[in-house]
Amino acid sequence: MGYAYDDQNIFAKILRGEIPNKTIAETEHTLAFADIYPQAPVHILVIPKGAYVCFDHFAAEASDAEIVDFHRVAARICADLNLAPGGDGDGYRTLSNAGAHAVQDVPHYHMHILGGRPLGPMLTRREGA
Ligand code: 5GP
């Protein structure tokens, strides 16, 4: 049990500078960059620089400084791109896929920030939920 981090995943390569990215924000602990296949006019990925596989791994094992920095970067992006409702923006969605049922493609924790158009329902409803 537990998490084994694969340091050959695409985001690890981005963090090492082996693959280019369109950087939106960068701090000591966090990198944010444009998703290569955007699913909305705004589609940004926020990732910790540390080796965490998914949300629960990050939230359980990262330092307080990493966790705070990650969320502050995400919040600043929402404000700077005028998405935040508190700044009169039209809103946005954050989401994070973990594991097989959520179809997580890249096994390095990332938060998607989506916005710039009405995003529709969270999930497609299905009989039996
Ligand atoms: P997941 O399915 O793991 O939640 O999302 C992975 C995301 O990473 C997808 O939205 C996909 O478009 C994005 N992605 C995959 N490869 C690359 C890449 O090389 N560069 C960037 N910027 N995004 C990528």
Side-chain angles (χ1 to χ4, degrees):
M1 289 301 284
Y3 288 110
Y5 181 81
D6 170 13
D7 67 5
Q8 293 307 306
N9 78 75
I10 287 169
F11 295 169
K13 291 180 180 176
I14 284 177
L15 285 168
R16 289 195 296 266
E18 295 166 13
I19 292 179
N21 74 93
K22 194 177 159 209
T23 298
I24 308 292
E26 181 167 12
T27 63
E28 180 186 357
H29 297 301
T30 308
L31 179 69
F33 52 95
D35 195 292
I36 204 167
Y37 301 119
Q39 297 191 38
V42 175
H43 189 169
I44 292 167
L45 301 170
V46 185
I47 70 172
K49 290 186 175 178
Y52 304 103
V53 173
C54 59
F55 165 76
D56 61 279
H57 187 204
F58 177 68
E61 294 190 15
S63 67
D64 291 3
E66 291 174 290
I67 291 171
V68 169
D69 185 69
F70 179 89
H71 291 92
R72 293 276 197 261
V73 167
R76 202 175 319 125
I77 290 167
C78 293
D80 288 352
L81 297 186
N82 207 24
L83 300 171
D88 247 7
D90 291 322
Y92 60 90
R93 179 171 295 153
T94 60
L95 70 85
S96 164
N97 296 312
H101 276 194
V103 196
Q104 180 180 5
D105 285 330
V106 181
H108 180 110
Y109 174 48
H110 50 284
M111 173 192 280
H112 298 255
I113 300 176
L114 298 147
R117 65 166 170 79
L119 295 167
M122 184 172 65
L123 292 173
T124 306
R125 281 186 71 86
R126 194 172 80 163
E127 207 52 45

